[in-house]
């Protein structure tokens, strides 16, 4: 950022107040430093005094000071003459006390947003945009509104020039036939991990959004890592995980367990043991081997983004940004309404799914979103879109809808609601499927999941696939098809 004197005075008007209001909110409640731990004073503050106060407050906060009062400040500075002299030259505690009395920590988000907007305007000015002419309009906007304003202006310019609109005859061209014949209409294959579901969905398709949904605790994220993330990486593609619930370490444990079992064939380290530590030499050696495998095969191609709300605008911006960096596949975990208490939740989720489809089509990427199934539907045997929590209408937007639940005790082989699992048999000579069915016996000591393909645009839907699941090593194996009853559990 340039010096304050390098800018038109109208652009840096009240800059001292903007920076001081935000910084002294943090001083007034030092716990707020943790909420803004990604704040970079060297790029977001222009004034040296502001940087001084921020750094001093940050240092004391990191030492667990709960109140930056007169005694604690001078106690902290007693052995640092240079910093103490600087603090006194700025008015000492009297300056701090005066500022803290006139600001409210309840407005910290507003102060931060105003500061962010000011920095955005300076950056736009540096890049040649004439922001002075619209400055009065911008003063009434939030930083998000400013972003949307410029995005709209650019989209409007290019749309009017025809850059994003093509009108063509819908005809069957030779080029289209050649693409179909070469297999380009197939999506990225994940048959290595889920051959049956891959067959019916014809892979993972770009310019599309698909939903993988399940009840809480059924292993949605585990399935996503094993059945989607791994094949995408193995095909040499790049993928970004956007998460608003599980943190990065939880995903690391899933990823590590999957690599250990799938790639190294090692089953001596469960996910639980990963977290408890005290590894044996063998276990530590295998972790290092997995680390090396990941670095050699996947380094730089798997990104993780943690967001702290359910803002679809943030998700859209992340996808647009990462798509420009060569990332063609995205996992969004978990898709929910920004305001679950709103009486317009259903409509908001449908609109949000439309937004994701638009960005998928525009950026030519594949977006897989996980969703929670409605708790009150947990006794439903045969899952359909009606079990989606507050969002049945999103089925009309997405290309694939897969729903998952646990196999219940009364559905095992020989039980009252036996799901009668089966698979097609192969001709012993040709190796091709001959249409005959082989019925399977389920082991009551194992855990199983049923996947319901409720919608696909690439094959027939209403297909049920049963998989064996071992959560200790994140192992998933499709064993065949099944036929769950439509009668609900009482």
């Amino acid at each position: 950022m340039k010096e304050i004197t390098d800018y038109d005075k109208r652009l840096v008007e009240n800059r001292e107040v903007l920076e001081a209001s935000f910084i002294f909110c943090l001083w007034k409640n030092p716990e707020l430093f943790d909420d803004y731990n990604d704040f970079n004073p060297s790029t977001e503050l222009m004034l040296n005094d502001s940087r001084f106060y921020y750094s001093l407050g940050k240092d004391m906060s990191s030492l667990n000071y709960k109140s930056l009062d007169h005694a604690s400040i001078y106690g902290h500075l007693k052995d640092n003459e240079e910093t103490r002299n600087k603090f006194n030259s700025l008015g000492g505690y009297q300056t701090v006390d005066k500022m803290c009395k006139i600001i409210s920590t309840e407005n910290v988000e507003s102060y931060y947003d105003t500061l962010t907007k000011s920095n955005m305007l300076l950056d736009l000015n540096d890049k040649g945009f004439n922001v002075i002419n619209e400055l009065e309009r911008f003063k009434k906007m939030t930083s998000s509104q400013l972003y949307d304003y410029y995005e709209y202006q650019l989209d409007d310019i290019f749309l009017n020039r025809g850059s994003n609109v093509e009108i063509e005859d819908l005809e069957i061209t030779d080029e289209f036939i050649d693409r179909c014949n070469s297999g380009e209409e197939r999506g990225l294959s994940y048959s290595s991990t889920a051959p049956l579901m891959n067959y019916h969905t014809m892979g993972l398709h770009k310019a599309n959004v698909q939903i993988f949904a399940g009840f809480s605790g059924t292993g949605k994220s585990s399935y996503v890592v094993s059945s989607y993330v791994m094949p995408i990486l193995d095909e040499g593609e790049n993928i970004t995980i956007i998460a608003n619930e599980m943190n990065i370490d939880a995903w690391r444990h899933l990823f590590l367990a999957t690599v250990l079992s799938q790639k190294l064939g090692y089953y001596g380290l469960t996910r639980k043991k990963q977290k408890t530590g005290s590894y044996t030499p063998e276990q530590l050696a295998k972790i290092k081997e997995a680390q090396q495998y990941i670095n050699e095969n996947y380094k730089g191609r798997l990104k993780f983004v943690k967001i702290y709300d359910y803002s679809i605008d943030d998700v859209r911006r992340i996808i647009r940004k990462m798509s420009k960096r060569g990332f063609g596949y995205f996992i969004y975990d978990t898709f929910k309404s920004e305001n679950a208490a709103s009486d317009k939740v259903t409509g908001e989720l449908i609109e949000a799914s439309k937004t994701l489809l638009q960005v998928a089509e525009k950026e030519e990427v594949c977006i897989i979103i996980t969703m929670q199934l409605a708790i009150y539907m947990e006794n439903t045997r045969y899952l359909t879109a009606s079990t989606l929590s507050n969002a049945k209408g999103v089925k009309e937007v997405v290309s694939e809808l897969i729903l998952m639940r646990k196999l219940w005790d009364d559905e095992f082989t020989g039980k009252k609601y036996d799901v009668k699992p089966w698979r097609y048999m192969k001709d012993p000579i040709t190796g091709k499927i001959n249409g005959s069915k082989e019925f399977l016996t389920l082991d009551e000591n194992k855990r199983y999941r049923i996947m319901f393909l409720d919608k696909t645009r690439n094959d027939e839907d209403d297909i049920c696939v049963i998989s064996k699941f071992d959560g200790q090593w994140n192992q998933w194996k499709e064993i065949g098809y099944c036929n769950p009853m439509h009668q609900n559990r009482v």
Side-chain angles (χ1 to χ4, degrees):
M1 188 178 290
K2 299 178 183 178
E3 298 295 326
I4 193 169
T5 53
D6 294 331
Y7 291 98
D8 187 301
K9 290 182 179 180
R10 290 169 290 181
L11 279 175
V12 290
E13 185 181 12
N14 296 323
R15 183 71 191 194
E16 295 88 346
V17 175
L18 291 182
E19 296 188 2
S21 298
F22 173 64
I23 291 169
F24 284 105
C25 261
L26 308 186
W27 272 67
K28 195 168 183 177
N29 179 5
E31 291 183 358
L32 291 173
F33 277 101
D34 291 334
D35 293 341
Y36 296 91
N37 59 9
D38 59 346
F39 184 82
N40 187 345
S42 64
T43 59
E44 299 187 66
L45 297 175
M46 300 186 74
L47 305 174
N48 289 330
D49 291 351
S50 299
R51 292 171 182 165
F52 171 80
Y53 280 119
Y54 177 85
S55 297
L56 177 56
K58 178 73 171 177
D59 288 345
M60 294 185 68
S61 171
S62 66
L63 293 173
N64 292 322
Y65 281 93
K66 302 302 181 184
S67 173
L68 305 187
D69 53 34
H70 186 280
S72 61
I73 294 170
Y74 281 100
H76 177 69
L77 296 178
K78 64 181 174 54
D79 296 325
N80 192 329
E81 182 179 358
E82 181 179 350
T83 304
R84 186 174 68 251
N85 289 340
K86 172 68 173 177
F87 183 73
N88 288 332
S89 71
L90 295 175
Y93 184 73
Q94 185 177 0
T95 300
V96 174
D97 187 51
K98 180 181 177 181
M99 283 301 303
C100 288
K101 284 180 178 178
I102 63 175
I103 51 112
S104 170
T105 55
E106 293 181 359
N107 295 325
V108 64
E109 291 185 12
S110 176
Y111 295 142
Y112 178 69
D113 187 79
T114 304
L115 178 59
T116 300
K117 182 181 70 174
S118 177
N119 289 336
M120 290 170 64
L121 290 172
L122 296 178
D123 289 340
L124 287 166
N125 178 80
D126 291 345
K127 294 184 182 298
F129 289 87
N130 187 356
V131 296
I132 295 292
N133 286 350
E134 300 287 340
L135 199 54
E136 291 305 312
R137 179 203 296 261
F138 296 152
K139 287 180 180 179
K140 301 174 184 177
M141 295 181 180
T142 64
S143 61
S144 179
Q145 289 169 336
L146 177 64
Y147 179 96
D148 291 340
Y149 173 82
Y150 271 98
E151 182 182 52
Y152 174 81
Q153 298 300 323
L154 291 171
D155 286 347
D156 188 52
I157 290 170
F158 286 104
L159 181 63
N160 288 335
R161 297 294 182 273
S163 296
N164 288 334
V165 177
E166 286 187 47
I167 301 175
E168 301 179 85
D169 290 329
L170 203 164
E171 58 181 345
I172 307 301
T173 64
D174 290 339
E175 183 267 343
F176 173 75
I177 295 173
D178 290 341
R179 281 195 288 112
C180 293
N181 189 38
S182 66
E184 289 184 31
E185 294 300 301
R186 294 196 301 266
L188 181 145
S189 173
Y190 56 103
S191 62
S192 60
T193 52
L196 299 181
M197 199 60 75
N198 177 76
Y199 172 79
H200 291 289
T201 61
M202 289 184 62
L204 301 172
H205 298 264
K206 289 189 174 182
N208 278 295
V209 177
Q210 82 169 53
I211 291 176
F212 185 77
F215 295 107
S216 178
T218 52
K220 294 187 297 296
S221 301
S222 300
Y223 183 87
V224 162
V225 170
S226 175
S227 300
Y228 297 144
V229 173
M230 298 305 295
I232 290 170
L233 291 173
D234 289 338
E235 287 292 322
E237 297 285 347
N238 303 330
I239 181 170
T240 298
I241 298 171
I242 306 169
N244 49 32
E245 294 188 349
M246 291 196 338
N247 62 29
I248 190 170
D249 282 347
W251 287 92
R252 282 172 172 150
H253 283 301
L254 267 178
F255 189 42
L256 178 59
T258 309
V259 170
L260 284 168
S261 60
Q262 282 192 19
K263 303 302 179 183
L264 304 185
Y266 182 68
Y267 300 93
L269 184 64
T270 65
R271 286 168 60 188
K272 182 177 181 180
K273 179 60 179 174
Q274 279 185 44
K275 298 177 183 180
T276 55
S278 300
Y279 304 136
T280 65
E282 176 188 284
Q283 290 169 338
L284 186 57
K286 283 298 181 180
I287 288 179
K288 290 294 184 180
E289 186 179 345
Q291 181 187 44
Q292 181 180 354
Y293 183 93
I294 291 167
N295 287 335
E296 290 177 353
N297 293 277
Y298 307 138
K299 190 174 180 62
R301 295 196 292 111
L302 176 59
K303 300 292 185 182
F304 177 84
V305 181
K306 176 68 175 179
I307 57 178
Y308 294 90
D309 54 31
Y310 300 96
S311 170
I312 204 64
D313 286 334
D314 288 344
V315 175
R316 174 175 59 86
R317 291 178 184 128
I318 292 166
I319 293 173
R320 290 185 60 185
K321 177 179 180 178
M322 297 306 293
S323 68
K324 300 294 190 296
R325 298 183 179 181
F327 285 75
Y329 294 84
F330 295 84
I331 305 290
Y332 175 34
D333 180 73
T334 303
F335 182 56
K336 292 182 179 179
S337 173
E338 293 184 46
N339 181 8
S342 169
D343 57 359
K344 300 179 181 178
V345 168
T346 299
E348 290 172 357
L349 285 171
I350 293 173
E351 290 305 311
S353 64
K354 290 179 181 177
T355 296
L356 290 177
L357 179 59
Q358 288 169 357
V359 73
E361 291 177 336
K362 186 174 182 180
E363 304 299 332
E364 191 66 22
V365 298
C366 171
I367 302 174
I368 302 166
I369 57 180
T370 66
M371 287 188 69
Q372 194 94 337
L373 296 183
I375 296 176
Y376 68 89
M377 301 290 283
E378 282 189 311
N379 288 331
T380 306
R381 287 190 189 275
Y382 203 96
L383 304 185
T384 65
S386 63
T387 57
L388 285 176
S389 180
N390 298 317
K392 295 180 281 291
V394 299
K395 175 181 177 178
E396 306 307 318
V397 179
V398 300
S399 60
E400 269 78 34
L401 172 59
I402 303 172
L403 309 112
M404 175 180 69
R405 70 165 173 84
K406 297 177 180 179
L407 181 77
W408 298 338
D409 291 342
D410 61 4
E411 294 177 313
F412 278 87
T413 305
K415 300 295 184 178
K416 182 177 181 180
Y417 296 101
D418 188 345
V419 295
K420 296 180 171 57
W422 57 274
R423 61 187 172 210
Y424 286 112
M425 298 180 67
K426 293 182 179 180
D427 186 286
I429 298 176
T430 65
K432 295 181 178 180
I433 292 174
N434 58 23
S436 300
K437 294 180 180 180
E438 174 190 5
F439 286 89
L440 309 171
T441 299
L442 300 179
D443 184 345
E444 294 188 41
N445 295 315
K446 304 295 183 181
R447 291 190 294 174
Y448 300 90
R449 300 290 187 266
I450 303 177
M451 315 295 175
F452 298 79
L453 181 58
D454 189 62
K455 177 185 177 181
T456 178
R457 289 179 177 156
N458 299 289
D459 195 4
E460 294 183 8
D461 51 28
D462 202 21
I463 301 293
C464 300
V465 173
I466 186 167
S467 296
K468 185 168 65 174
F469 171 50
D470 194 327
Q472 295 186 90
W473 302 284
N474 198 28
Q475 281 279 73
W476 295 80
K477 182 180 180 181
E478 291 179 341
I479 63 171
Y481 299 95
C482 65
N483 301 291
M485 300 286 187
H486 284 263
Q487 179 179 350
N488 291 341
R489 183 164 60 176
V490 179

